[in-house]
Amino acid sequence: MFDKVLIANRGEIALRIIRTCRDLGVRTVAVYSTPDADAQFVKAADEAVHIGPGAPARSYLHIPNIIGAAVRTGAQAIHPGYGFLSEDPYFAEICADDGITFIGPPPDVMENVGDKATARRLMTEAGLPLLPGTVEPVDSVEAAEAVAAEIGYPVIIKAAAGGGGRGITVVRRPQDLRDAYVATRASAQAVFRNSAVYMERYLEKTRHIEIQVVCDDFGGAVHLGERDCSVQRRHQKLIEESPSAAVSPELRARLGEAALAGARAVGYRGAGTVEFLLETGPDAAEDTFWFMEMNARIQVEHPVTELVTGVDLVSEQLRVASGSPLSVKQEDIDIRGHAIECRINAEDPARGFAPTPGTLETYRVPGGPWVRVDTDYVPGARVSPYYDSMIGKLIVWGPDRGTCIERTQRALAEFEVSGPGMHTTIPMHQEILGHPEFIKGDVSTDFLERCFAL
């Protein structure tokens, strides 16, 4: 195991990684921007290094400053968390060049799964089912029109380098395709510095199901069941749960086998997520699923998997990166009970989920049995406009889904957040968890649009 690890991230994920490192006896180095100088993750680390001003491009995305901090402090490895540099193969290569272990998959693997078009081709070769569409990027409007005519409307145009719900456009009519294609390519270039896009048939009623996998360098590979991420707005997740109300033990095994086949096909190492669309509705074939993408990092929603399996995913990441085998085998994985995660964001749902940064005059998190809150905030802290608006994650466990929903509602009622001009997603979560369709488990990716006009 490493002696010292630098965390190239901030907020709740940085603090969460620090805590596992402490459990393992690993010293930690935090890096922080000027607005984060008094953050809890900075205080929790054994050492902390200032890396620049608030703008991410000059701090958490500034590779020379991060590598310099690792070299100066003698960190043997860097954990990138999620977001920022977590899926940047160039950053992983620079780490290797400086003799620093990147806690994640090898750069070439990250590059292959990070390019959605390449990942689709590799997963097809591994036998995973794909929706009708293109494997290679679509390089002209005329080609896009031909693809749409062949597979039928509606279609979805996706940035090949996309992620986080960005670089995605749904097109329902032929007359809208040209403008959507041009706009999606322009957006992809601006956000991801890569204008390549691909296309596939858009399913109106599906579930977003993802399978957590962890692989080592000794042939060990396990899946840890599924997470249902169907409650989302603008392709960004709001609530995640494990297991899914729509997945039987038999389907779970099939999804897990497909995910591991895909991970092995690309030579994956570390923790990753293979994402699928599960077709629902009266016209869907039974248990039909389609590969969507693979994420080469720890996910925001990883705690629900930890609560139902008892496996510390960050610990497994550290083990694998340090050259040790996984601590668990597939026969050790047992899904127990149910877990739900609510992303508590400083956003106003009534204004299109517009961010509402500001100072937290009141910040009181819930507690009690079976309640976990991953957060880096305390009363008086400032929610910065520079970064993501998520201020915490509420994760609740119950012996069954119904009990878990009731406990989550209790915890949401205890959650107190206030500040000048600040709104949060807490009332939205309470409405969602109280909706009859959610309680029945009858949710799909259009749930918020259908039931809340969001």
Side-chain angles (χ1 to χ4, degrees), residues 299-338:
Q299 295 275 93
V300 175
E301 58 272 20
H302 76 274
V304 293
T305 296
E306 294 183 327
L307 289 193
V308 297
T309 63
V311 176
D312 183 331
L313 290 168
V314 172
S315 177
E316 295 303 317
Q317 284 186 296
L318 291 164
R319 285 181 60 87
V320 170
S322 65
S324 298
L326 296 173
S327 70
V328 293
K329 296 181 173 59
Q330 192 63 58
E331 56 266 28
D332 300 325
I333 305 302
D334 185 19
I335 308 297
R336 297 181 180 180
H338 199 92

Side-chain angles (χ1 to χ4, degrees), residues 44-92:
D46 296 296
E47 301 174 61
V49 179
H50 179 252
I51 55 168
R58 300 175 62 190
S59 53
Y60 298 107
L61 291 172
H62 197 276
I63 293 175
N65 287 2
I66 293 172
I67 295 294
V71 171
R72 289 199 306 275
T73 58
Q76 299 160 301
I78 292 179
H79 196 306
Y82 55 74
F84 293 132
L85 297 169
S86 62
E87 293 181 282
D88 188 333
Y90 175 66
F91 177 55

Side-chain angles (χ1 to χ4, degrees), residues 170-441:
V170 176
V171 185
R172 291 185 166 83
R173 304 183 306 169
Q175 57 266 40
D176 298 330
L177 182 65
R178 179 177 290 269
D179 288 346
Y181 174 84
V182 172
T184 306
R185 288 200 64 168
S187 174
Q189 180 63 41
V191 176
F192 306 110
R193 302 191 301 276
N194 182 345
S195 65
V197 298
Y198 66 95
M199 295 173 60
E200 61 187 21
R201 180 69 187 274
Y202 179 70
L203 300 178
E204 294 284 4
K205 193 171 179 62
T206 63
R207 285 181 183 261
H208 184 155
I209 303 292
E210 57 188 33
I211 301 292
Q212 178 71 59
V213 299
V214 191
C215 309
D216 62 27
D217 286 320
F218 303 91
V222 300
H223 73 84
L224 295 95
E226 80 282 357
R227 296 185 287 258
D228 194 322
C229 307
S230 301
V231 179
Q232 49 187 258
R233 44 90 177 174
R234 297 196 298 270
H235 306 289
Q236 293 182 314
K237 304 162 188 172
L238 274 181
I239 294 176
E240 301 96 355
E241 56 183 314
S242 183
S244 170
V247 175
S248 65
E250 294 75 21
L251 178 56
R252 180 174 303 121
R254 288 174 53 211
L255 285 162
E257 289 167 4
L260 289 178
R264 291 188 178 105
V266 299
Y268 200 81
R269 184 187 71 201
T273 301
V274 185
E275 305 200 0
F276 298 93
L277 292 176
L278 178 64
E279 200 165 357
T280 61
D283 298 327
E286 186 177 3
D287 293 346
T288 301
F289 60 86
W290 312 89
F291 170 77
M292 185 168 59
E293 63 184 33
M294 183 172 188
N295 291 301
R297 53 174 164 79
I298 197 80
Q299 295 275 93
V300 175
E301 58 272 20
H302 76 274
V304 293
T305 296
E306 294 183 327
L307 289 193
V308 297
T309 63
V311 176
D312 183 331
L313 290 168
V314 172
S315 177
E316 295 303 317
Q317 284 186 296
L318 291 164
R319 285 181 60 87
V320 170
S322 65
S324 298
L326 296 173
S327 70
V328 293
K329 296 181 173 59
Q330 192 63 58
E331 56 266 28
D332 300 325
I333 305 302
D334 185 19
I335 308 297
R336 297 181 180 180
H338 199 92
I340 293 174
E341 175 179 293
C342 297
R343 300 191 188 195
I344 310 300
N345 299 337
E347 297 174 348
D348 185 357
R351 293 191 297 121
F353 293 90
T356 58
T359 300
L360 293 169
E361 290 184 347
T362 303
Y363 189 65
R364 187 173 296 113
V365 302
W370 322 115
V371 174
R372 167 177 166 179
V373 178
D374 284 14
T375 185
D376 187 60
Y377 287 96
V378 294
R382 178 167 176 76
V383 180
S384 172
Y386 287 112
Y387 311 117
D388 187 89
S389 56
M390 187 174 72
I391 56 178
K393 301 185 310 197
L394 170 65
I395 314 101
V396 179
W397 181 91
D400 53 67
R401 188 171 185 271
T403 303
C404 188
I405 291 173
E406 292 172 358
R407 287 178 177 172
T408 305
Q409 288 281 39
R410 183 259 295 169
L412 286 166
E414 292 179 12
F415 220 131
E416 295 184 32
V417 183
S418 67
M422 185 169 290
H423 297 263
T424 75
T425 50
I426 291 172
M428 181 85 256
H429 288 304
Q430 292 172 313
E431 286 190 59
I432 292 170
L433 268 66
H435 195 281
E437 288 194 23
F438 183 88
I439 292 171
K440 288 190 300 182

